[in-house]
Amino acid sequence: SPFGAVMKIKLLLLLSGLCCASAFATPSNQSLEELAKIMPYESTFYQAIVAPLEMERMAIAQGMAQDNTLTDEQRKKALNTFDAYAEGLIKTLDSKAVKDGLKKSYLNAAKSFNQAEVDTMIAFYGSKDGQSALKKEDAVFESYMKSAGENNQKIIEDYEKKHLNKLQDDIKKILKK
């Protein structure tokens, strides 16, 4: 009947409106809380702290290795001192107050997603495969960065050999003024 067709069209329009609205809707606090339970925002933060510390430690070790005036014992003590500093920083950041702040920051940042995106992430990352992917993500990224660094190390070293002394000289000149 013509009336039935009109009702079907109205129902389809209503459903499509709901679907479209959820695609642009601000996510609910409840869904963001659910997302926060499954996303590794804490480990992401701690990795962002640890990675530069590791790079700094490597730079210190390289610098000391090139200094022939240092003994092995001095090098070891210097690295142990740096390690104690790094461990102190990490322990200081491992508190309830910091973790509460991280969650608040994540929840605020996650408001950039719309409701449909949050629902999709919850569905995937809440699944067995999604959790498996999240667990592998850190190892995949670490492996990628290691490989990318090794593959480009010569380019970086060549650039540093060519430009680092000039950079240091230029900075010294600027700071003397």
PDB file of all heavy atoms in Angstrom, residues 46-60 79 82-83 85-91 93:
ATOM      1  N   TYR A  46      54.227   6.432  29.709  1.00  0.00           N
ATOM      2  CA  TYR A  46      55.495   6.005  30.299  1.00  0.00           C
ATOM      3  C   TYR A  46      56.538   5.707  29.231  1.00  0.00           C
ATOM      4  O   TYR A  46      57.723   5.999  29.412  1.00  0.00           O
ATOM      5  CB  TYR A  46      55.289   4.825  31.251  1.00  0.00           C
ATOM      6  CG  TYR A  46      54.533   5.223  32.495  1.00  0.00           C
ATOM      7  CD1 TYR A  46      53.278   4.709  32.787  1.00  0.00           C
ATOM      8  CD2 TYR A  46      55.059   6.175  33.375  1.00  0.00           C
ATOM      9  CE1 TYR A  46      52.578   5.106  33.915  1.00  0.00           C
ATOM     10  CE2 TYR A  46      54.364   6.575  34.502  1.00  0.00           C
ATOM     11  CZ  TYR A  46      53.129   6.036  34.770  1.00  0.00           C
ATOM     12  OH  TYR A  46      52.431   6.439  35.880  1.00  0.00           O
ATOM     13  N   GLN A  47      56.117   5.179  28.103  1.00  0.00           N
ATOM     14  CA  GLN A  47      57.064   4.952  26.997  1.00  0.00           C
ATOM     15  C   GLN A  47      57.610   6.278  26.478  1.00  0.00           C
ATOM     16  O   GLN A  47      58.780   6.367  26.109  1.00  0.00           O
ATOM     17  CB  GLN A  47      56.391   4.198  25.850  1.00  0.00           C
ATOM     18  CG  GLN A  47      56.197   2.742  26.133  1.00  0.00           C
ATOM     19  CD  GLN A  47      55.424   2.060  25.027  1.00  0.00           C
ATOM     20  OE1 GLN A  47      54.658   2.679  24.309  1.00  0.00           O
ATOM     21  NE2 GLN A  47      55.630   0.772  24.893  1.00  0.00           N
ATOM     22  N   ALA A  48      56.762   7.289  26.450  1.00  0.00           N
ATOM     23  CA  ALA A  48      57.208   8.606  25.983  1.00  0.00           C
ATOM     24  C   ALA A  48      58.219   9.219  26.953  1.00  0.00           C
ATOM     25  O   ALA A  48      59.007  10.079  26.561  1.00  0.00           O
ATOM     26  CB  ALA A  48      56.004   9.542  25.806  1.00  0.00           C
ATOM     27  N   ILE A  49      58.214   8.785  28.190  1.00  0.00           N
ATOM     28  CA  ILE A  49      59.199   9.240  29.175  1.00  0.00           C
ATOM     29  C   ILE A  49      60.470   8.413  29.067  1.00  0.00           C
ATOM     30  O   ILE A  49      61.590   8.935  29.086  1.00  0.00           O
ATOM     31  CB  ILE A  49      58.621   9.146  30.612  1.00  0.00           C
ATOM     32  CG1 ILE A  49      57.388  10.031  30.777  1.00  0.00           C
ATOM     33  CG2 ILE A  49      59.685   9.466  31.657  1.00  0.00           C
ATOM     34  CD1 ILE A  49      57.617  11.500  30.555  1.00  0.00           C
ATOM     35  N   VAL A  50      60.307   7.108  28.946  1.00  0.00           N
ATOM     36  CA  VAL A  50      61.454   6.193  28.958  1.00  0.00           C
ATOM     37  C   VAL A  50      62.294   6.302  27.685  1.00  0.00           C
ATOM     38  O   VAL A  50      63.529   6.281  27.757  1.00  0.00           O
ATOM     39  CB  VAL A  50      60.978   4.734  29.182  1.00  0.00           C
ATOM     40  CG1 VAL A  50      62.097   3.740  28.944  1.00  0.00           C
ATOM     41  CG2 VAL A  50      60.424   4.576  30.600  1.00  0.00           C
ATOM     42  N   ALA A  51      61.667   6.444  26.537  1.00  0.00           N
ATOM     43  CA  ALA A  51      62.419   6.476  25.267  1.00  0.00           C
ATOM     44  C   ALA A  51      63.484   7.575  25.242  1.00  0.00           C
ATOM     45  O   ALA A  51      64.641   7.296  24.913  1.00  0.00           O
ATOM     46  CB  ALA A  51      61.466   6.597  24.085  1.00  0.00           C
ATOM     47  N   PRO A  52      63.158   8.824  25.608  1.00  0.00           N
ATOM     48  CA  PRO A  52      64.216   9.848  25.613  1.00  0.00           C
ATOM     49  C   PRO A  52      65.299   9.568  26.664  1.00  0.00           C
ATOM     50  O   PRO A  52      66.463   9.893  26.448  1.00  0.00           O
ATOM     51  CB  PRO A  52      63.481  11.152  25.929  1.00  0.00           C
ATOM     52  CG  PRO A  52      62.051  10.880  25.724  1.00  0.00           C
ATOM     53  CD  PRO A  52      61.843   9.416  25.831  1.00  0.00           C
ATOM     54  N   LEU A  53      64.895   8.977  27.791  1.00  0.00           N
ATOM     55  CA  LEU A  53      65.901   8.617  28.800  1.00  0.00           C
ATOM     56  C   LEU A  53      66.887   7.596  28.238  1.00  0.00           C
ATOM     57  O   LEU A  53      68.096   7.699  28.462  1.00  0.00           O
ATOM     58  CB  LEU A  53      65.232   8.067  30.063  1.00  0.00           C
ATOM     59  CG  LEU A  53      64.473   9.071  30.930  1.00  0.00           C
ATOM     60  CD1 LEU A  53      63.700   8.352  32.031  1.00  0.00           C
ATOM     61  CD2 LEU A  53      65.423  10.102  31.521  1.00  0.00           C
ATOM     62  N   GLU A  54      66.349   6.622  27.520  1.00  0.00           N
ATOM     63  CA  GLU A  54      67.220   5.610  26.912  1.00  0.00           C
ATOM     64  C   GLU A  54      68.154   6.240  25.882  1.00  0.00           C
ATOM     65  O   GLU A  54      69.334   5.895  25.804  1.00  0.00           O
ATOM     66  CB  GLU A  54      66.387   4.497  26.270  1.00  0.00           C
ATOM     67  CG  GLU A  54      65.694   3.614  27.282  1.00  0.00           C
ATOM     68  CD  GLU A  54      64.738   2.608  26.663  1.00  0.00           C
ATOM     69  OE1 GLU A  54      64.346   2.788  25.471  1.00  0.00           O
ATOM     70  OE2 GLU A  54      64.379   1.641  27.349  1.00  0.00           O
ATOM     71  N   MET A  55      67.623   7.168  25.098  1.00  0.00           N
ATOM     72  CA  MET A  55      68.453   7.842  24.096  1.00  0.00           C
ATOM     73  C   MET A  55      69.540   8.682  24.769  1.00  0.00           C
ATOM     74  O   MET A  55      70.685   8.697  24.325  1.00  0.00           O
ATOM     75  CB  MET A  55      67.589   8.705  23.181  1.00  0.00           C
ATOM     76  CG  MET A  55      66.701   7.887  22.268  1.00  0.00           C
ATOM     77  SD  MET A  55      65.606   8.899  21.260  1.00  0.00           S
ATOM     78  CE  MET A  55      66.784   9.760  20.259  1.00  0.00           C
ATOM     79  N   GLU A  56      69.173   9.370  25.857  1.00  0.00           N
ATOM     80  CA  GLU A  56      70.145  10.179  26.587  1.00  0.00           C
ATOM     81  C   GLU A  56      71.236   9.299  27.183  1.00  0.00           C
ATOM     82  O   GLU A  56      72.415   9.635  27.135  1.00  0.00           O
ATOM     83  CB  GLU A  56      69.435  10.983  27.684  1.00  0.00           C
ATOM     84  CG  GLU A  56      70.339  11.921  28.442  1.00  0.00           C
ATOM     85  CD  GLU A  56      70.884  13.060  27.587  1.00  0.00           C
ATOM     86  OE1 GLU A  56      70.266  13.412  26.571  1.00  0.00           O
ATOM     87  OE2 GLU A  56      71.952  13.593  27.944  1.00  0.00           O
ATOM     88  N   ARG A  57      70.832   8.136  27.714  1.00  0.00           N
ATOM     89  CA  ARG A  57      71.811   7.209  28.286  1.00  0.00           C
ATOM     90  C   ARG A  57      72.790   6.734  27.217  1.00  0.00           C
ATOM     91  O   ARG A  57      73.995   6.666  27.442  1.00  0.00           O
ATOM     92  CB  ARG A  57      71.106   6.015  28.924  1.00  0.00           C
ATOM     93  CG  ARG A  57      72.052   5.096  29.692  1.00  0.00           C
ATOM     94  CD  ARG A  57      71.306   3.881  30.246  1.00  0.00           C
ATOM     95  NE  ARG A  57      72.071   3.187  31.243  1.00  0.00           N
ATOM     96  CZ  ARG A  57      73.080   2.362  30.986  1.00  0.00           C
ATOM     97  NH1 ARG A  57      73.465   2.155  29.744  1.00  0.00           N
ATOM     98  NH2 ARG A  57      73.719   1.744  31.969  1.00  0.00           N
ATOM     99  N   MET A  58      72.257   6.424  26.040  1.00  0.00           N
ATOM    100  CA  MET A  58      73.124   5.994  24.932  1.00  0.00           C
ATOM    101  C   MET A  58      74.080   7.112  24.530  1.00  0.00           C
ATOM    102  O   MET A  58      75.266   6.862  24.276  1.00  0.00           O
ATOM    103  CB  MET A  58      72.281   5.546  23.730  1.00  0.00           C
ATOM    104  CG  MET A  58      71.641   4.197  23.934  1.00  0.00           C
ATOM    105  SD  MET A  58      70.527   3.619  22.595  1.00  0.00           S
ATOM    106  CE  MET A  58      71.094   4.404  21.157  1.00  0.00           C
ATOM    107  N   ALA A  59      73.591   8.337  24.490  1.00  0.00           N
ATOM    108  CA  ALA A  59      74.441   9.475  24.116  1.00  0.00           C
ATOM    109  C   ALA A  59      75.544   9.681  25.152  1.00  0.00           C
ATOM    110  O   ALA A  59      76.704   9.932  24.793  1.00  0.00           O
ATOM    111  CB  ALA A  59      73.601  10.744  23.970  1.00  0.00           C
ATOM    112  N   ILE A  60      75.192   9.555  26.421  1.00  0.00           N
ATOM    113  CA  ILE A  60      76.193   9.684  27.483  1.00  0.00           C
ATOM    114  C   ILE A  60      77.236   8.582  27.358  1.00  0.00           C
ATOM    115  O   ILE A  60      78.444   8.843  27.440  1.00  0.00           O
ATOM    116  CB  ILE A  60      75.514   9.669  28.875  1.00  0.00           C
ATOM    117  CG1 ILE A  60      74.704  10.948  29.076  1.00  0.00           C
ATOM    118  CG2 ILE A  60      76.549   9.486  29.989  1.00  0.00           C
ATOM    119  CD1 ILE A  60      73.787  10.914  30.288  1.00  0.00           C
ATOM    120  N   LEU A  79      77.188   5.998  34.483  1.00  0.00           N
ATOM    121  CA  LEU A  79      75.967   5.361  33.978  1.00  0.00           C
ATOM    122  C   LEU A  79      75.064   4.914  35.122  1.00  0.00           C
ATOM    123  O   LEU A  79      73.834   5.031  35.031  1.00  0.00           O
ATOM    124  CB  LEU A  79      76.308   4.197  33.048  1.00  0.00           C
ATOM    125  CG  LEU A  79      76.860   4.598  31.682  1.00  0.00           C
ATOM    126  CD1 LEU A  79      77.239   3.369  30.871  1.00  0.00           C
ATOM    127  CD2 LEU A  79      75.870   5.463  30.913  1.00  0.00           C
ATOM    128  N   PHE A  82      73.264   7.950  36.293  1.00  0.00           N
ATOM    129  CA  PHE A  82      72.181   8.289  35.373  1.00  0.00           C
ATOM    130  C   PHE A  82      71.007   7.324  35.562  1.00  0.00           C
ATOM    131  O   PHE A  82      69.847   7.737  35.600  1.00  0.00           O
ATOM    132  CB  PHE A  82      72.649   8.268  33.915  1.00  0.00           C
ATOM    133  CG  PHE A  82      71.549   8.619  32.963  1.00  0.00           C
ATOM    134  CD1 PHE A  82      71.247   9.946  32.693  1.00  0.00           C
ATOM    135  CD2 PHE A  82      70.782   7.631  32.362  1.00  0.00           C
ATOM    136  CE1 PHE A  82      70.203  10.284  31.844  1.00  0.00           C
ATOM    137  CE2 PHE A  82      69.741   7.957  31.512  1.00  0.00           C
ATOM    138  CZ  PHE A  82      69.450   9.291  31.252  1.00  0.00           C
ATOM    139  N   ASP A  83      71.319   6.028  35.688  1.00  0.00           N
ATOM    140  CA  ASP A  83      70.261   5.024  35.873  1.00  0.00           C
ATOM    141  C   ASP A  83      69.456   5.299  37.138  1.00  0.00           C
ATOM    142  O   ASP A  83      68.226   5.161  37.143  1.00  0.00           O
ATOM    143  CB  ASP A  83      70.862   3.616  35.917  1.00  0.00           C
ATOM    144  CG  ASP A  83      71.418   3.183  34.568  1.00  0.00           C
ATOM    145  OD1 ASP A  83      71.100   3.815  33.541  1.00  0.00           O
ATOM    146  OD2 ASP A  83      72.187   2.194  34.543  1.00  0.00           O
ATOM    147  N   TYR A  85      68.969   8.206  38.517  1.00  0.00           N
ATOM    148  CA  TYR A  85      68.137   9.370  38.207  1.00  0.00           C
ATOM    149  C   TYR A  85      66.895   8.933  37.417  1.00  0.00           C
ATOM    150  O   TYR A  85      65.759   9.318  37.754  1.00  0.00           O
ATOM    151  CB  TYR A  85      68.937  10.391  37.404  1.00  0.00           C
ATOM    152  CG  TYR A  85      68.083  11.425  36.720  1.00  0.00           C
ATOM    153  CD1 TYR A  85      67.624  12.543  37.415  1.00  0.00           C
ATOM    154  CD2 TYR A  85      67.711  11.278  35.384  1.00  0.00           C
ATOM    155  CE1 TYR A  85      66.816  13.486  36.798  1.00  0.00           C
ATOM    156  CE2 TYR A  85      66.902  12.216  34.759  1.00  0.00           C
ATOM    157  CZ  TYR A  85      66.458  13.311  35.468  1.00  0.00           C
ATOM    158  OH  TYR A  85      65.654  14.234  34.851  1.00  0.00           O
ATOM    159  N   ALA A  86      67.109   8.139  36.383  1.00  0.00           N
ATOM    160  CA  ALA A  86      66.001   7.706  35.528  1.00  0.00           C
ATOM    161  C   ALA A  86      64.998   6.868  36.316  1.00  0.00           C
ATOM    162  O   ALA A  86      63.777   7.063  36.195  1.00  0.00           O
ATOM    163  CB  ALA A  86      66.536   6.926  34.330  1.00  0.00           C
ATOM    164  N   GLU A  87      65.497   5.948  37.125  1.00  0.00           N
ATOM    165  CA  GLU A  87      64.603   5.117  37.937  1.00  0.00           C
ATOM    166  C   GLU A  87      63.833   5.969  38.937  1.00  0.00           C
ATOM    167  O   GLU A  87      62.652   5.725  39.189  1.00  0.00           O
ATOM    168  CB  GLU A  87      65.408   4.032  38.654  1.00  0.00           C
ATOM    169  CG  GLU A  87      65.884   2.942  37.717  1.00  0.00           C
ATOM    170  CD  GLU A  87      66.812   1.939  38.388  1.00  0.00           C
ATOM    171  OE1 GLU A  87      66.750   1.776  39.625  1.00  0.00           O
ATOM    172  OE2 GLU A  87      67.606   1.317  37.661  1.00  0.00           O
ATOM    173  N   GLY A  88      64.485   6.985  39.502  1.00  0.00           N
ATOM    174  CA  GLY A  88      63.806   7.890  40.426  1.00  0.00           C
ATOM    175  C   GLY A  88      62.666   8.631  39.748  1.00  0.00           C
ATOM    176  O   GLY A  88      61.582   8.777  40.323  1.00  0.00           O
ATOM    177  N   LEU A  89      62.918   9.100  38.536  1.00  0.00           N
ATOM    178  CA  LEU A  89      61.874   9.794  37.790  1.00  0.00           C
ATOM    179  C   LEU A  89      60.694   8.870  37.530  1.00  0.00           C
ATOM    180  O   LEU A  89      59.534   9.236  37.757  1.00  0.00           O
ATOM    181  CB  LEU A  89      62.425  10.332  36.464  1.00  0.00           C
ATOM    182  CG  LEU A  89      61.405  10.964  35.518  1.00  0.00           C
ATOM    183  CD1 LEU A  89      60.700  12.156  36.167  1.00  0.00           C
ATOM    184  CD2 LEU A  89      62.073  11.376  34.217  1.00  0.00           C
ATOM    185  N   ILE A  90      60.974   7.669  37.074  1.00  0.00           N
ATOM    186  CA  ILE A  90      59.902   6.721  36.762  1.00  0.00           C
ATOM    187  C   ILE A  90      59.114   6.365  38.027  1.00  0.00           C
ATOM    188  O   ILE A  90      57.882   6.315  37.998  1.00  0.00           O
ATOM    189  CB  ILE A  90      60.483   5.472  36.067  1.00  0.00           C
ATOM    190  CG1 ILE A  90      60.999   5.875  34.684  1.00  0.00           C
ATOM    191  CG2 ILE A  90      59.439   4.366  35.960  1.00  0.00           C
ATOM    192  CD1 ILE A  90      61.899   4.862  34.024  1.00  0.00           C
ATOM    193  N   LYS A  91      59.809   6.142  39.146  1.00  0.00           N
ATOM    194  CA  LYS A  91      59.116   5.842  40.406  1.00  0.00           C
ATOM    195  C   LYS A  91      58.267   7.027  40.862  1.00  0.00           C
ATOM    196  O   LYS A  91      57.169   6.847  41.377  1.00  0.00           O
ATOM    197  CB  LYS A  91      60.122   5.461  41.493  1.00  0.00           C
ATOM    198  CG  LYS A  91      60.670   4.069  41.335  1.00  0.00           C
ATOM    199  CD  LYS A  91      61.674   3.727  42.425  1.00  0.00           C
ATOM    200  CE  LYS A  91      62.266   2.359  42.174  1.00  0.00           C
ATOM    201  NZ  LYS A  91      63.328   2.030  43.137  1.00  0.00           N
ATOM    202  N   LEU A  93      56.800   9.134  38.979  1.00  0.00           N
ATOM    203  CA  LEU A  93      55.621   9.209  38.105  1.00  0.00           C
ATOM    204  C   LEU A  93      54.651   8.050  38.323  1.00  0.00           C
ATOM    205  O   LEU A  93      53.555   8.045  37.767  1.00  0.00           O
ATOM    206  CB  LEU A  93      56.066   9.237  36.640  1.00  0.00           C
ATOM    207  CG  LEU A  93      56.789  10.505  36.217  1.00  0.00           C
ATOM    208  CD1 LEU A  93      57.380  10.334  34.829  1.00  0.00           C
ATOM    209  CD2 LEU A  93      55.861  11.705  36.272  1.00  0.00           C
TER     210      LEU A  93
END
